[in-house]
Amino acid sequence: MSTPKFDEGRLMQVLVAPIVSEKATMVAEKSNAVTFKVLQNATKPEIKAAVELMFKVEVKGVSVVNTKGKTKRFGKTVGRRDNVRKAYVLLKEGQELNLSGEAA
């Protein structure tokens, strides 16, 4: 199966931010998966290609979770948090991702 070609500029925007939370850390330790906040319209193949391009690692699989934004009150006004699309990226055995900031 040949990998589809993606626009490199688009791939640079697909990953919004790494998610650093207790749950994300637990998942990372248990199953060698990294968690990212991704664009609302990002597809699994796009996410896989983006992680492989940016971090030079091999990706085993991608799971995606859509979280609806909560309604929150700020005094009188009612606001809404953004909807979030989270991607759990499983890395192949022996692969490691360095999120500390220094470039590879």
Side-chain angles (χ1 to χ4, degrees):
M1 192 174 99
S2 67
T3 56
K5 287 278 168 233
F6 294 106
D7 174 30
E8 210 168 293
R10 162 99 174 133
L11 290 183
M12 289 298 182
Q13 294 170 343
V14 166
L15 303 178
V16 178
I19 295 175
V20 182
S21 63
E22 281 189 33
K23 182 178 178 183
T25 311
M26 266 174 27
V27 170
E29 285 170 4
K30 207 159 90 179
S31 60
N32 200 21
V34 197
T35 314
F36 289 100
K37 187 174 172 184
V38 294
L39 292 180
Q40 209 55 47
N41 58 1
T43 62
K44 286 182 183 185
E46 268 183 335
I47 295 165
K48 178 179 176 173
V51 172
E52 287 181 343
L53 173 80
M54 291 168 92
F55 299 103
K56 309 282 187 277
V57 292
E58 286 182 60
V59 174
K60 191 158 135 191
V62 177
S63 304
V64 175
V65 179
N66 286 316
T67 314
K68 287 205 165 64
K70 293 181 178 179
T71 305
K72 291 284 183 184
R73 288 186 54 133
F74 303 100
K76 285 182 187 168
T77 57
V78 175
R80 221 169 149 268
R81 286 193 184 155
D82 286 342
N83 294 334
V84 177
R85 188 170 168 92
K86 275 195 275 192
Y88 291 94
V89 180
L90 267 97
L91 303 177
K92 287 188 179 162
E93 292 302 312
Q95 296 285 323
E96 205 175 274
L97 206 112
N98 192 355
L99 289 174
S100 58
E102 63 262 7

